Amino acid sequence: MKSTGNQAFVNQLLVFTLVMICLSGSVGLGTVWLRHQISISANDAKRIDAEITRLERRIAETHALIAGEQSPEKLDRKNLAMALQLVRPQEQQLVRVSESPEERLLARRNIEIFTTSIGARDAAVSFRVADRR
């Protein structure tokens, strides 16, 4: 049975309407899912930011405790309490370093790498091939 006229147009319109409803529903569902994923990501970022802030606060507290324990008065009290009989260094025993301590220590440690006037470095190197028997 072949539909012609108004009946065929109504069937096509009905099919088109159903397709459009399904298409717009799937777009709406995708939008809701995307917003949900954005919300999850934002909550994770907020949680991580709070954790970073907590850790930075804990690090600052630890630095403050270390600085308090290294104060000269506290060290003197511990020296007396433990009977270590340590004395403070005199001013002539102190050496003030104006440059970067890391670079200075690296230069002292690796001085043999950068100097070429060492006699041991000028020695000839010879290789001997051993017999494999």
Side-chain angles (χ1 to χ4, degrees):
M1 189 168 147
K2 191 172 184 183
S3 300
T4 59
N6 289 340
Q7 185 71 23
F9 177 72
V10 171
N11 286 342
Q12 288 178 353
L13 183 64
L14 184 63
V15 169
F16 179 73
T17 305
L18 288 174
V19 168
M20 289 305 294
I21 288 173
C22 291
L23 185 64
S24 64
S26 63
V27 168
L29 184 65
T31 303
V32 170
W33 177 80
L34 187 62
R35 288 181 61 121
H36 177 68
Q37 293 300 320
I38 291 171
S39 172
I40 289 173
S41 298
N43 289 338
D44 287 345
K46 191 184 298 182
R47 183 184 49 80
I48 290 170
D49 190 37
E51 181 73 14
I52 289 171
T53 303
R54 187 185 68 79
L55 288 175
E56 286 175 348
R57 188 178 314 119
R58 189 169 172 199
I59 289 171
E61 290 172 358
T62 304
H63 283 303
L65 287 173
I66 290 171
E69 291 293 322
Q70 290 180 343
S71 68
E73 295 82 19
K74 186 95 171 194
L75 292 175
D76 285 339
R77 276 188 262 131
K78 285 187 178 185
N79 185 23
L80 290 174
M82 294 181 195
L84 296 175
Q85 299 177 353
L86 298 174
V87 294
R88 284 191 179 190
Q90 301 297 322
E91 187 62 36
Q92 64 265 19
Q93 292 175 318
L94 298 177
V95 176
R96 309 282 183 207
V97 178
S98 61
E99 60 198 50
S100 170
E102 293 88 5
E103 290 177 8
R104 184 171 178 259
L105 289 173
L106 280 172
R108 283 179 58 190
R109 182 172 181 252
N110 298 323
I111 192 143
E112 68 273 358
I113 295 174
F114 301 113
T115 57
T116 57
S117 61
I118 299 173
R121 292 189 65 148
D122 295 335
V125 177
S126 62
F127 295 99
R128 293 186 210 158
V129 178
D131 288 332
R132 291 186 180 192
R133 291 183 196 196

